[in-house]
Amino acid sequence: MEMMNMSNRTDNKELQENLMSALGGAKKARADMENKEWKRIWRDIQVPISLNAALSRLTKDELTSIRQKLDIKNASSLKKEQLIQLLQQVIPSRFEKICLTIDTERYSIIEKIANQGGSVNAEHLPLETLKNLGNHGLVFTGSYNGEKVAVIPDELMAAFQSIDHSNIKTTIDRNTEWIKLTHGLLYYYGVLSNSKLIEMVKKYSAFEMGDSLDFFKVINEAEDYYEEIRSDWNGFSHIDAFNPEHILNEQNKRPGIPYYPFSKSELIAAGVPDYMEQNNSFKQFEKFITQHYEVSREEAEMTVDQCAHGVKLGESPNDILHLLQQQFEMKGIDDVKLFMDHLINLSNNTRQWFLKGFTAKEVHQLEKGNWRPSPGHTDNVVDFQSRKKVGRNDPCPCGSGKKYKKCCGR
């Protein structure tokens, strides 16, 4: 038996050593890849630079990525030099059209570079934004005289100077609002069909929506850049909605529950990447964790956010508690009860995707006929039949016959 134990220990030691070696190899491979990527992004560049020279610095694969991003057809068989010539013609002619599909975050970088003569120090510029603009063939990064720079080629500088900036800025503002509203709607509802998304954005947006194709171009572009949402045959969904079809099915099982009437300001606030709604139940749970365990506020915040996400997906407090027991030491039934009390409170007050943005507490009140919008929503109350905003002196949409301000608007 002792020989068997020694053999097992030897096997385990070898297994551990092999595992550590594999992990070390994977870490080195990742570091090598990141280093290669870093060198590629900041390879030498001339300032100023022509579009031909800027494109010539890129590999065939990078040029192909730009071609695909610009949706240039029938060019997959072109050699590198031919592809450069094609892009050299197409990019300046589409400069304004490309700008009309992006938002303030990205356009402000183009504007900053252009206003400084076509080249700026890129040390503190968001790299993901620069890479996105580079994928469109608009901005090129590199090192010049030992300095990291972002450059717009001469031909594109001329294109920038020739466009109608008042018109384009209006469109950029429109795109920015559309994107934030879409992100906010999907943060709270989880999934929306294409038609429902358009209907809701139209309801909240200050900008007219003509051709819906323009809207989808903007949102699909944002989908790729922000990675906050995704699209499929169900429509659009939040990036964390792993089973959009299931969420839609659960929503359809509740025809008596309307979509919660958020205010525009709530949706815009939730439309910011990595937004985290922190209501009172969220803050109380976070405070409990930091007071009873040696974790930072950020760690506690992340834990509660994960719990809230579980609630959004319809998980029960018991299911979430089992996961927390793997993370926190619960010494007895009293500790378990404290956690469960917070989980139930969080579960009752977190807006759920299955409930179309309502909390479980609000649905209970709705079913009893006692739910009323909070005072913060009185400026954006919507009649669910007509889909029109309800004014203070309009008939209340609940059908009481009273004015809204004397009924649900109190």
Side-chain angles (χ1 to χ4, degrees):
M1 181 66 70
E2 182 62 28
M3 290 180 64
M4 179 78 72
N5 289 337
M6 289 180 63
S7 176
N8 288 340
R9 285 198 296 270
T10 300
D11 290 344
N12 288 338
K13 184 177 179 180
E14 288 179 358
L15 180 62
Q16 186 175 17
E17 288 175 351
N18 290 336
L19 180 60
M20 293 301 293
S21 177
L23 289 173
K27 186 176 180 180
K28 183 179 183 302
R30 185 169 61 251
D32 290 344
M33 187 180 300
E34 290 174 354
N35 185 49
K36 185 177 180 180
E37 171 77 357
W38 187 261
K39 288 180 177 179
R40 183 187 66 78
I41 293 171
W42 303 114
R43 69 198 116 178
D44 289 343
I45 193 170
Q46 291 300 309
V47 178
I49 193 169
S50 68
L51 183 56
N52 180 279
L55 293 169
S56 296
R57 297 168 59 252
L58 306 183
T59 65
K60 175 69 183 301
D61 287 342
E62 289 170 320
L63 294 169
T64 298
S65 294
I66 295 174
R67 176 185 65 78
Q68 292 172 338
K69 189 70 176 175
L70 300 181
D71 197 26
I72 300 174
K73 306 292 187 184
N74 304 317
S76 58
S77 62
L78 294 181
K79 295 180 179 179
K80 180 177 178 178
E81 288 304 318
Q82 294 172 317
L83 186 52
I84 289 172
Q85 290 176 10
L86 176 62
L87 292 174
Q88 193 178 343
Q89 295 172 357
V90 172
I91 295 172
S93 67
R94 293 195 189 177
F95 181 85
E96 183 173 4
K97 187 176 180 181
I98 297 169
C99 290
L100 291 173
T101 65
I102 62 178
D103 59 357
T104 302
E105 182 170 308
R106 285 166 284 173
Y107 187 73
S108 63
I109 298 296
I110 294 175
E111 202 170 33
K112 180 174 184 176
I113 300 171
N115 288 340
Q116 295 192 37
S119 174
V120 296
N121 185 304
E123 192 71 43
H124 301 295
L125 295 181
L127 185 56
E128 288 306 312
T129 306
L130 294 175
K131 288 166 69 174
N132 179 267
L133 295 173
N135 288 339
H136 289 86
L138 303 185
V139 173
F140 297 82
T141 55
S143 296
Y144 178 67
N145 289 340
E147 181 180 281
K148 294 183 179 68
V149 294
V151 185
I152 295 178
D154 297 338
E155 295 90 331
L156 302 186
M157 281 291 292
F160 175 84
Q161 292 161 0
S162 68
I163 61 179
D164 180 351
H165 289 279
S166 60
N167 174 63
I168 203 166
K169 285 191 175 182
T170 299
T171 303
I172 295 293
D173 290 342
R174 180 204 69 180
N175 297 348
T176 303
E177 182 173 273
W178 282 355
I179 292 168
K180 287 186 176 181
L181 284 173
T182 297
H183 284 178
L185 288 163
L186 293 173
Y187 177 85
Y188 283 120
Y189 299 138
V191 185
L192 291 170
S193 67
N194 290 344
S195 58
K196 180 60 70 174
L197 177 60
I198 288 177
E199 175 189 327
M200 289 192 167
V201 171
K202 281 182 177 179
K203 181 177 75 176
Y204 287 103
S205 180
F207 298 91
E208 290 292 328
M209 188 186 298
D211 189 343
S212 60
L213 287 176
D214 290 337
F215 172 75
F216 286 122
K217 285 178 184 177
V218 171
I219 300 306
N220 287 327
E221 184 63 45
E223 178 184 354
D224 180 57
Y225 174 58
Y226 286 105
E227 298 182 342
E228 291 284 315
I229 61 174
R230 67 163 67 91
S231 58
D232 58 23
W233 67 273
N234 292 296
F236 284 86
S237 58
H238 190 272
I239 195 69
D240 292 331
F242 303 118
N243 192 338
E245 186 175 7
H246 178 56
I247 295 171
L248 282 176
N249 288 338
E250 290 293 329
Q251 291 177 349
N252 291 335
K253 290 178 183 177
R254 299 165 171 84
I257 301 176
Y259 285 92
Y260 185 88
F262 293 101
S263 68
K264 180 175 179 178
S265 59
E266 285 176 312
L267 296 176
I268 293 293
V272 177
D274 300 321
Y275 176 76
M276 193 183 298
E277 185 181 40
Q278 299 188 21
N279 56 26
N280 287 335
S281 62
F282 187 109
K283 293 175 181 177
Q284 290 166 9
F285 197 0
E286 177 197 307
K287 185 177 180 180
F288 163 75
I289 292 174
T290 55
Q291 288 179 341
H292 289 79
Y293 294 90
E294 293 183 1
V295 297
S296 67
R297 180 179 174 276
E298 290 74 19
E299 291 171 327
E301 187 179 79
M302 188 62 67
T303 296
V304 179
D305 186 54
Q306 290 170 347
C307 293
H309 181 63
V311 173
K312 276 187 177 185
L313 288 168
E315 293 181 11
S316 70
N318 269 328
D319 293 334
I320 300 171
L321 179 65
H322 288 319
L323 296 174
L324 288 175
Q325 286 176 317
Q326 300 174 25
Q327 186 176 353
F328 297 99
E329 182 181 0
M330 301 181 196
K331 296 180 180 178
I333 191 65
D334 289 340
D335 283 355
V336 172
K337 186 178 183 303
L338 285 171
F339 267 96
M340 182 57 78
D341 287 344
H342 281 287
L343 283 172
I344 291 173
N345 189 30
L346 187 72
S347 183
N348 285 335
N349 293 283
T350 295
R351 305 203 169 279
Q352 298 186 35
W353 290 340
F354 290 178
L355 303 182
K356 304 176 188 176
F358 278 85
T359 67
K361 185 177 180 180
E362 289 168 342
V363 167
H364 180 66
Q365 294 171 339
L366 189 70
E367 290 171 344
K368 292 175 63 178
N370 295 330
W371 180 78
R372 297 288 183 271
S374 65
H377 296 88
T378 56
D379 62 335
N380 267 295
V381 174
V382 174
D383 184 332
F384 288 102
Q385 297 300 318
S386 66
R387 298 297 175 184
K388 293 180 180 178
K389 291 181 182 178
V390 180
R392 297 278 293 157
N393 291 307
D394 291 338
C396 189
C398 74
S400 66
K402 299 179 181 179
K403 288 185 177 181
Y404 172 69
K405 67 181 180 182
K406 294 185 177 294
C407 187
C408 294
R410 288 181 296 178

